[in-house]
Amino acid sequence: MIPVDGESSKKRVCYFFDSDVSGFHYGPGHPMKPTRIRMCHSLVMNYGLYKRMEIFRAKPATKREMTQFHSDEYVDFLSRITPLNMNSYMKEQHKYNVGDDCPVFDGLFEYCSISAGGSMEGAARLSRDKCDIAVNWAGGLHHAKKSEASGFCYVNDIVLGILELLRYHQRVLYIDIDVHHGDGVEEAFYTTDRVMTVSFHKYGEFFPGTGELRDVGIAKGKYYALNFPLRDGITDESYKSVFEPVIQQVMESYDPGAIVLQCGTDSVSGDKLGCFNLSMRGHANCVKFVKSFNKPLLLLGGGGYTMRNVSRCWAYETGLAAGVELGSEIPMNEYYEYFGPDYELDVKSSNMEDMNTPGYLDRVKNIVLEHLRQVGGPPSVQMTDIPRVPIDELMDDPDADEDLIPTNERRPQRLLDSRRQADGELSDSDDEGEGGRRNHASHKDRDSMPLAGRKFGAAVGIMSTGSTHGVGPSVATVAPPVATHPSAAPSNPESSNQSDMDIDDGTSVAPSARADSKEGSRTSPAANGMDVDQPAAPPPATTDAS
């Protein structure tokens, strides 16, 4: 993990994950695979990002909370239908668009509850200034309507999260970088100026078929819905050339109190359903740019159907939220084989042709900016008392159950996960080398080191690799006596150079040492646990028996 340059201040990050989410399955052959969220979480944990943020398992959303946006009949239908009784609900399935793209599967309502619960609690924590950035990769299901499932989405967690933010903030900005148009969110706030929706998406014979340039909202919400239709194959440079100027102008004209960013990764190159050509870093640049405005930020998932790329992208963007850039080499994790053959984090662009000409992008950008100029400045909102909803009881005292735990029992895992490692805190050796703490001393200088400061036995750098094979001969050779005369100096001119193996450098054993390891491993004192660097103990004193 490399700290990101130019970070003005460290952000408090709340990261939401529920391990149950990977147990749901849309059905054989369906492109939406909830397992991708667990794959991302596995990378997040094995990269060590858990030290830099609080991790929460959100309380699943209830039926009552879902009906803040969805109709009572639709939520009741989702809670009742199962694969066993679905034949009894044929009329309702047709009415609510459940069946083809949005199949009925085991645990459907629980899956929706987990997705919505993370987004709502993330928004609640942002509103109460308990964090600066909230992350819920299980959310971002932007196609669901008030009484209709659509595009693999059943419950619109984004709308529910925005409604929570609107209780505390006058204006909320919604940005969508999914390859598909964010139609469900736009439709929900099409007539209000309290939410501005900005969507960059593929348009033209592509699902859902909405998001035309002229769709700008109606009534009080006119010009508060912005759409930027794109063509196949857009590259990082082209995307950046339109995304940053538009969002910069949106921030100046609208001045939102909070931002919701839907990070659908089906806009990344190589997606099974997408047709854009963004690299992982090009996609993540949007997150970095939006974060730079220092507003309360809710990061949500969304589309993404090539699982190895989805998990790579979201893990990298989780790191950016926490203020670090992840290294290119993927650490060992439970899904390691998915990332072959190169086992690298980067998702690169392909040689796909970019159908977005500079003239087309400039023309569309100018029209969108003209729509923005019609706004004329941030709208004023007459605020009233904050209404009470069920999530308030949870947020007022999130540790209410802690008092019921017997004092002689372990703290629950939820409390342990919510702990963030403070900067400068002593930690295990898995972060050895961070912050310039690595010891670069050579093993040749050990005899001149004071006894109290010497490291005996195998070097820490090698121990951190998890293998002690070949350690014996390379570190256990008895040091020759110190030369006191020029003629006693070693005759080999290369022997005075830096050793191939530094004590704490973490590098591999020198080739010569590795070759000799098998031969010397049986007779090496270090292999038998002896400390060859310690001075020999004096012989025991003898007494005269007479």
Side-chain angles (χ1 to χ4, degrees):
M1 294 187 293
I2 305 167
V4 177
D5 294 333
E7 287 283 327
S8 58
S9 60
K10 286 182 168 47
K11 303 296 184 185
R12 298 165 297 159
V13 181
C14 288
Y15 171 91
F16 291 90
F17 174 73
D18 192 317
S19 57
D20 290 346
V21 76
S22 62
F24 301 103
H25 193 252
Y26 275 63
H30 199 286
M32 175 64 98
K33 302 189 187 315
T35 304
R36 67 202 177 127
I37 300 161
R38 179 160 182 161
M39 287 178 66
C40 169
H41 181 69
S42 182
L43 287 178
V44 165
M45 298 301 286
N46 284 281
Y47 264 111
L49 286 173
Y50 60 88
K51 300 174 185 178
R52 297 178 174 269
M53 55 194 185
E54 293 182 295
I55 300 177
F56 295 98
R57 182 176 187 173
K59 176 180 173 292
T62 63
K63 292 171 64 175
R64 180 184 171 188
E65 289 169 333
M66 292 180 186
T67 54
Q68 292 177 75
F69 170 60
H70 295 285
S71 66
D72 294 359
E73 298 81 8
Y74 176 59
V75 172
D76 187 61
F77 163 76
L78 291 177
S79 67
R80 290 175 180 271
I81 192 166
T82 67
L84 295 178
N85 65 12
M86 57 186 294
N87 290 333
S88 303
Y89 291 92
M90 297 302 293
K91 183 178 178 181
E92 288 83 357
Q93 286 184 64
H94 180 74
K95 176 182 178 182
Y96 299 125
N97 195 33
V98 171
D100 295 327
D101 282 351
C102 303
V104 178
F105 57 87
D106 281 327
L108 169 60
F109 186 75
E110 288 74 16
Y111 170 73
C112 297
S113 297
I114 290 173
S115 171
S119 297
M120 294 180 70
E121 189 168 329
R125 288 184 174 274
L126 286 171
S127 296
R128 290 161 177 79
D129 196 30
K130 294 189 176 182
C131 63
D132 302 308
I133 301 176
V135 182
N136 177 34
W137 297 129
L141 305 179
H142 58 169
H143 293 306
K145 312 293 196 306
K146 179 177 180 178
S147 298
E148 179 183 333
S150 176
F152 317 153
C153 308
Y154 304 85
V155 170
N156 200 316
D157 64 284
I158 305 174
V159 173
L160 294 172
I162 292 176
L163 289 174
E164 172 60 33
L165 290 171
L166 287 173
R167 296 169 58 217
Y168 289 81
H169 299 280
Q170 293 185 344
R171 295 173 298 277
V172 175
L173 171 63
Y174 171 70
I175 306 171
D176 193 312
I177 58 174
D178 195 291
V179 74
H180 302 96
H181 177 232
D183 57 335
V185 184
E186 180 183 278
E187 181 181 302
F189 300 109
Y190 206 59
T191 61
T192 180
D193 59 2
R194 292 196 62 193
V195 178
M196 176 174 278
T197 61
V198 186
S199 180
F200 299 81
H201 53 270
K202 155 75 174 174
Y203 181 76
E205 296 183 0
F206 197 72
F207 182 87
T210 55
E212 191 184 2
L213 185 59
R214 292 174 293 183
D215 295 338
V216 294
I218 57 174
K220 199 174 182 180
K222 191 170 186 180
Y223 300 117
Y224 290 95
L226 299 179
N227 288 293
F228 203 114
L230 297 165
R231 297 172 179 168
D232 291 4
I234 191 166
T235 61
D236 293 350
E237 296 76 18
S238 298
Y239 205 93
K240 182 176 182 177
S241 71
V242 297
F243 181 84
E244 293 191 358
V246 169
I247 297 303
Q248 180 72 45
Q249 189 60 47
V250 165
M251 294 299 296
E252 293 174 4
S253 301
Y254 192 62
D255 188 28
I259 304 174
V260 178
L261 177 59
Q262 198 265 17
C263 303
T265 52
D266 45 10
S267 50
V268 173
S269 179
D271 191 82
K272 291 179 179 178
L273 299 185
C275 55
F276 286 174
N277 196 22
L278 297 179
S279 69
M280 178 193 76
R281 296 181 187 276
H283 189 273
N285 179 69
C286 300
V287 176
K288 188 184 298 186
F289 185 72
V290 172
K291 180 189 172 187
S292 68
F293 291 101
N294 296 318
K295 299 280 188 178
L297 176 61
L298 179 60
L299 288 181
L300 303 175
Y305 308 100
T306 302
M307 289 200 297
R308 61 184 181 275
N309 292 349
V310 175
S311 51
R312 283 175 163 118
C313 199
W314 285 347
Y316 184 76
E317 289 166 357
T318 304
L320 291 181
V324 293
E325 191 171 325
L326 301 184
S328 61
E329 185 177 347
I330 287 180
M332 188 60 67
N333 64 87
E334 60 184 309
Y335 297 98
Y336 188 70
E337 295 304 321
Y338 278 77
F339 303 105
D342 56 359
Y343 303 100
E344 291 186 354
L345 187 67
D346 276 354
V347 180
K348 298 180 175 61
S349 301
S350 68
N351 59 355
M352 183 180 185
E353 182 183 1
D354 187 359
M355 306 300 292
N356 299 270
T357 63
Y360 170 77
L361 293 176
D362 284 342
R363 188 168 69 253
V364 175
K365 180 173 68 174
N366 290 334
I367 295 173
V368 171
L369 293 177
E370 179 59 33
H371 291 163
L372 260 177
R373 281 189 281 271
Q374 302 296 326
V375 171
S380 59
V381 180
Q382 187 67 37
M383 295 298 288
T384 59
D385 291 338
I386 298 172
R388 296 283 296 182
V389 295
I391 198 171
D392 286 315
E393 299 175 7
L394 173 67
M395 298 306 301
D396 286 345
D397 189 6
D399 299 323
D401 297 336
E402 185 182 357
D403 297 334
L404 304 178
I405 303 172
T407 55
N408 59 345
E409 289 188 9
R410 287 177 179 269
R411 299 290 90 183
Q413 188 64 37
R414 177 180 61 82
L415 295 179
L416 299 178
D417 288 342
S418 66
R419 184 184 177 280
R420 177 186 176 278
Q421 178 178 300
D423 294 330
E425 181 178 326
L426 294 177
S427 58
D428 295 335
S429 61
D430 58 349
D431 65 343
E432 180 71 26
E434 290 185 5
R437 297 193 292 106
R438 190 184 295 278
N439 186 348
H440 292 283
S442 169
H443 72 88
K444 286 190 173 185
D445 300 329
R446 285 182 298 171
D447 290 324
S448 62
M449 296 169 60
L451 189 62
R454 291 168 59 178
K455 290 182 170 61
F456 299 105
V460 174
I462 294 177
M463 291 292 288
S464 64
T465 65
S467 171
T468 56
H469 177 67
V471 170
S474 62
V475 299
T477 306
V478 178
V482 178
T484 57
H485 191 275
S487 62
S491 59
N492 184 3
E494 296 182 359
S495 63
S496 62
N497 295 335
Q498 179 75 6
S499 170
D500 285 318
M501 180 186 68
D502 287 344
I503 288 181
D504 278 341
D505 202 26
T507 55
S508 60
V509 181
S512 58
R514 198 181 299 113
D516 296 338
S517 62
K518 293 184 179 178
E519 184 177 338
S521 59
R522 294 185 180 179
T523 59
S524 168
N528 295 323
M530 296 174 60
D531 223 340
V532 298
D533 292 323
Q534 298 185 23
T542 57
T543 57
D544 191 350
S546 60

